[in-house]
């Protein structure tokens, strides 16, 4: 077995990955053979399970090894495909980014999903009323036929009605139902961007994290700093004037991960820049339902000249309901439906019926109101204890699911996250959401999970030990 150098400047993850590659290339490890288990290798090397798991996931992303559920990791029988011709435009997912999403979607790996993007299951237990199940049983036809390509007319009509309550006036014919908000954005991206085009996205942003995972992209990504009340507009104008992007991707309300809302003043200027420099806006409003204040969306100001609006229901109803939608300017709807058919053909009539019935039920608004109050209560609690232990919280952000927490400079955040992983605590470092080193001391915290006494004790103990050794 190989050894690692703890005094080296090379990260432990990279050392493990490189050593495995060297042994495969030197035929010391046979192609097709099974690698040591994550737990066994971590014990032999004296490193955390998180470190070995990240190295393995990086090798999977590079098509050097494969994961076989229930059997472990195996060296692929043939080497990775030659991608040298595409090396300049391909961004393979790093172990950090791919690993984060892999672990985020598997709740069995953690007892405390502190950086998760979802609410606790107990908070959503009554989100879909029992009466909906009864209606589904009586209306078996809705569950035994395919959904129309654009989505059921009943669901699109209900969504249009709900949007009018948000001062977003859209016809049901402008709505295309998708398999989640991520799918909605991929349809827009495939339709709007050609090879060599530029896409502008905020930094930090969860949306930037998603873009980093696209291995075969032929478009360019440029970023604009995100502040607590929206993008830095001076820098944004410089970027759009220089690069002339086709799309600007933004979250107006409950920004992920910073939690802030774009101010109306900035919203008006963003629309002005879109008109001046001829780009379209993708407004991701996936967390907007948790906003407690009446705040205008860009889509309500734009009147469908340059804005695509997308949202979904997995955050407030159930993660199991992978159902979202995009509202598009009328001239793009037909092309979006075609993209959807090429991609997945159609959605689930069962999911669409469940969501349509739930939105129509009288309990839906009550459910949202209760969620908002609960999130706000937990947010206040989290800000109080985090501030007391020395973690910096943006005072300008007062609502939403996330706290963008800055840990003291002397804290070794990588070590903290590795120890959290070993304690079955899921944490997302700020570096995941950015192309810069500016957020290396940040962690995204979900207020619905981070007030558990065991996590609070974990943070307090870690900060105390780091302070003592500083």
């Amino acid at each position: 077995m190989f050894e690692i150098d703890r005094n080296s400047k090379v990260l432990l993850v990279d050392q493990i990955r490189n050593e495995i590659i060297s042994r495969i290339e030197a035929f010391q490890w046979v192609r097709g053979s099974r690698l040591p288990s994550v737990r066994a290798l971590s014990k032999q090397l004296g490193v955390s399970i998180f470190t070995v798991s990240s190295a393995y996931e990086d090798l999977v992303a590079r098509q050097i090894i494969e994961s076989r559920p229930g059997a472990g990791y195996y060296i692929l029988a043939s080497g990775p495909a030659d991608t040298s011709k595409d090396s300049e435009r391909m961004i393979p997912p790093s172990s950090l980014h791919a690993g984060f999403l892999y672990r985020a979607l598997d709740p069995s790996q953690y007892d405390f999903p502190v950086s998760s993007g979802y609410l606790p299951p107990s908070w959503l237990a009554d989100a879909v009323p029992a009466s909906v199940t009864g209606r589904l049983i009586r209306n078996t036809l809705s569950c035994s036929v395919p959904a129309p390509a654009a989505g059921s007319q009943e669901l699109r009509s209900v969504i249009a009605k709900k949007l009018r309550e948000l001062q977003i006036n859209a016809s049901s014919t402008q709505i295309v139902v998708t398999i989640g908000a991520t799918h909605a954005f991929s349809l827009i991206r495939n339709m709007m961007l050609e090879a060599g085009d530029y896409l502008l996205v905020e930094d930090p942003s969860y949306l930037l994290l998603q873009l980093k995972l696209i291995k075969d992209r032929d478009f360019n990504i440029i970023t604009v700093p995100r502040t607590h009340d929206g993008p830095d507009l001076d820098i944004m104008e410089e970027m759009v004037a220089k690069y002339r992007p086709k799309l600007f991707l933004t979250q107006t309300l409950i920004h992920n991960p910073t939690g802030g809302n774009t101010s109306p003043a900035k919203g008006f200027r963003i629309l002005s820049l879109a008109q001046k420099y001829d780009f379209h806006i993708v407004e991701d409003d996936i967390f907007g339902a948790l906003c407690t204040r009446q705040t205008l969306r860009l889509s309500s100001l734009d009147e469908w000249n340059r804005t695509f609006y997308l949202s979904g229901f997995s955050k407030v109803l159930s993660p199991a309901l992978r159902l979202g939608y995009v509202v598009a300017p009328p001239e793009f709807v037909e092309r979006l439906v075609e993209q959807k058919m090429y991609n997945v053909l159609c959605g689930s009539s069962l999911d669409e019926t469940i969501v349509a019935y739930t939105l129509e039920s009288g309990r839906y608004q009550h459910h949202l109101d209760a969620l908002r109050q609960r999130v706000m209560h937990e947010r206040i609690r989290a800000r109080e204890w985090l501030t007391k232990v020395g973690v910096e919280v943006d005072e300008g952000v007062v609502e939403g699911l996330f706290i963008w927490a800055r840990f003291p400079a002397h804290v070794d955040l990588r070590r903290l996250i590795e120890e959290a992983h070993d304690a079955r605590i899921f944490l997302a470092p700020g570096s995941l959401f950015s192309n810069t080193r500016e957020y290396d001391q940040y962690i995204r915290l979900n207020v619905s999970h981070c007030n558990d006494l065991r996590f609070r004790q974990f943070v307090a103990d870690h900060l105390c030990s780091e302070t003592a050794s500083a």
Side-chain angles (χ1 to χ4, degrees):
M1 184 56 62
F2 56 83
E3 296 181 353
I4 56 174
D5 182 2
R6 295 186 180 276
N7 296 319
S8 172
K9 294 183 179 179
V10 180
L11 296 175
L12 297 179
V13 170
D14 296 334
Q15 289 188 52
I16 295 171
R17 181 197 64 221
N18 294 340
E19 287 289 349
I20 292 174
I21 292 174
S22 296
R23 276 156 178 71
I24 294 173
E25 292 178 343
F27 302 103
Q28 294 176 3
W29 287 4
V30 181
R31 294 191 180 277
S33 63
R34 184 177 183 272
L35 290 173
S37 71
V38 171
R39 189 173 299 277
L41 187 56
S42 67
K43 184 177 181 179
Q44 290 171 2
L45 298 178
V47 299
S48 73
I49 293 174
F50 174 82
T51 300
V52 176
S53 178
S54 295
Y56 278 8
E57 287 162 13
D58 199 356
L59 291 167
V60 170
R62 293 167 182 258
Q63 300 178 24
I64 295 173
I65 68 174
E66 65 176 345
S67 173
R68 300 179 186 176
Y73 290 90
Y74 286 77
I75 303 171
L76 287 173
S78 59
D82 181 10
T83 59
S84 58
K85 294 181 180 179
D86 298 323
S87 61
E88 291 184 358
R89 64 188 181 91
M90 291 186 68
I91 301 181
S94 71
S95 60
L96 193 61
H97 302 109
F100 165 74
L101 291 179
Y102 177 83
R103 289 185 291 273
L105 295 173
D106 185 358
S108 67
Q109 296 200 22
Y110 292 93
D111 296 327
F112 310 106
V114 177
S115 284
S116 164
Y118 296 103
L119 294 167
S122 61
W123 289 28
L124 304 175
D126 298 324
V128 178
S131 59
V132 169
T133 306
R135 291 181 66 181
L136 285 173
I137 294 174
R138 292 191 297 271
N139 186 9
T140 55
L141 179 62
S142 65
C143 306
S144 58
V145 297
S152 74
Q153 180 58 48
E154 180 180 13
L155 175 59
R156 289 184 292 142
S157 296
V158 175
I159 291 173
K161 179 181 178 181
K162 292 297 180 183
L163 289 175
R164 286 193 289 272
E165 297 174 3
L166 302 177
Q167 303 181 47
I168 298 176
N169 294 314
S171 165
S172 62
T173 59
Q174 293 176 247
I175 298 172
V176 179
V177 179
T178 60
I179 305 175
T182 301
H183 180 224
F185 171 58
S186 70
L187 296 180
I188 298 170
R189 189 184 71 237
N190 293 336
M191 178 182 68
M192 298 295 291
L193 296 179
E194 298 179 355
D197 285 342
Y198 285 87
L199 181 150
L200 179 64
V201 63
E202 297 161 323
D203 187 338
S205 172
Y206 173 77
L207 305 171
L208 179 58
L209 165 63
Q210 288 187 330
L211 290 168
K212 289 178 181 179
L213 294 173
I214 303 174
K215 294 193 292 183
D216 58 349
R217 67 176 177 87
D218 56 5
F219 59 90
N220 302 292
I221 301 170
I222 52 177
T223 61
V224 57
R226 171 79 187 203
T227 66
H228 72 275
D229 65 343
D232 185 318
L233 293 182
D234 292 335
I235 295 179
M236 180 174 176
E237 181 156 20
E238 292 178 9
M239 298 295 287
V240 297
K242 180 178 181 180
Y243 294 100
R244 298 298 176 123
K246 289 288 187 67
L247 290 175
F248 170 50
L249 183 56
T250 184
Q251 289 181 310
T252 309
L253 303 180
I254 316 294
H255 178 264
N256 182 3
T258 68
N261 295 337
T262 300
S263 67
K266 284 194 171 183
F268 279 109
R269 190 172 169 200
I270 290 170
L271 293 174
S272 177
L273 291 175
Q275 182 68 34
K276 181 178 179 180
Y277 294 100
D278 191 26
F279 62 86
H280 283 79
I281 300 165
V282 180
E283 182 177 26
D284 183 340
D285 197 32
I286 191 67
F287 290 103
L290 297 176
C291 191
T292 58
R293 296 176 292 180
Q294 280 290 91
T295 305
L296 292 176
R297 277 86 168 165
L298 296 179
S299 301
S300 65
L301 303 173
D302 180 54
E303 297 182 350
W304 309 115
N305 290 314
R306 294 189 170 272
T307 304
F308 294 87
Y309 176 88
L310 57 90
S311 190
F313 304 98
S314 63
K315 305 300 182 184
V316 296
L317 290 182
S318 170
L321 288 172
R322 298 302 304 167
L323 194 148
Y325 63 92
V326 54
V327 188
E331 63 269 24
F332 293 106
V333 174
E334 184 176 348
R335 291 170 59 192
L336 275 175
V337 174
E338 289 177 354
Q339 283 286 338
K340 179 183 175 182
M341 289 191 295
Y342 298 153
N343 188 252
V344 297
L345 190 61
C346 67
S348 164
S349 59
L350 178 60
D351 283 356
E352 292 184 17
T353 303
I354 290 173
V355 173
Y357 286 177
T358 301
L359 294 180
E360 286 181 319
S361 73
R363 292 184 56 188
Y364 177 69
Q365 190 58 49
H366 174 75
H367 168 68
L368 283 186
D369 292 340
L371 280 185
R372 291 168 186 155
Q373 292 177 13
R374 203 166 184 177
V375 167
M376 182 63 72
H377 174 72
E378 294 301 318
R379 183 180 187 85
I380 293 171
R381 290 182 61 205
R383 288 177 61 180
E384 288 179 352
W385 76 261
L386 286 167
T387 302
K388 287 181 180 178
V389 298
V391 177
E392 184 179 327
V393 176
D394 189 344
E395 296 296 329
V397 179
V398 297
E399 63 177 353
L401 190 62
F402 302 116
I403 288 181
W404 191 224
R406 182 176 184 178
F407 282 67
H410 67 270
V411 174
D412 184 343
L413 210 63
R414 189 177 187 89
R415 178 184 163 210
L416 183 148
I417 291 171
E418 288 186 358
E419 291 183 1
H421 175 83
D422 291 342
R424 297 184 61 83
I425 299 170
F426 177 51
L427 295 180
S431 56
L432 280 171
F433 306 94
S434 177
N435 266 349
T436 73
R437 302 298 302 274
E438 184 177 350
Y439 302 102
D440 284 359
Q441 286 300 114
Y442 284 76
I443 291 179
R444 184 188 78 174
L445 300 178
N446 181 326
V447 301
S448 66
H449 293 288
C450 72
N451 290 319
D452 187 284
L453 287 176
R454 288 162 290 186
F455 174 63
R456 293 173 60 174
Q457 190 62 53
F458 171 84
V459 172
D461 290 347
H462 195 95
L463 292 182
C464 286
S465 64
E466 291 274 359
T467 301
S469 61

